[in-house]
Amino acid sequence: MNKEFKPLIHFPNYLKAGYYPFFKENPNTYHIRIEQVLKLVLEIDLQFIKGIDP
């Protein structure tokens, strides 16, 4: 790495938006998209993995 590489200047944005690509699609709906992904995992994916009844 060289002296021009300064990743910490981007850290506040990372804390705000994370690394999911949804933020690039539309920053205004980022949190809604993350919520949708969490619901998908909790309501559908876990049923198949652990046999959880929704």
Side-chain angles (χ1 to χ4, degrees):
M1 290 201 242
N2 60 27
K3 292 180 182 183
E4 294 174 14
F5 181 68
K6 303 202 184 295
L8 292 180
I9 63 172
H10 302 286
F11 192 64
N13 288 335
Y14 169 77
L15 292 176
K16 179 182 172 189
Y19 64 93
Y20 289 98
F22 310 134
F23 191 77
K24 288 186 177 186
E25 292 174 6
N26 185 348
N28 297 325
T29 61
Y30 173 75
H31 295 290
I32 294 169
R33 295 276 293 166
I34 292 295
E35 185 178 327
Q36 290 172 341
V37 169
L38 288 172
K39 282 184 177 182
L40 179 71
V41 169
L42 293 174
E43 295 175 357
I44 296 174
D45 294 346
L46 286 179
Q47 286 182 20
F48 296 109
I49 296 171
K50 295 289 184 181
I52 295 173
D53 186 20

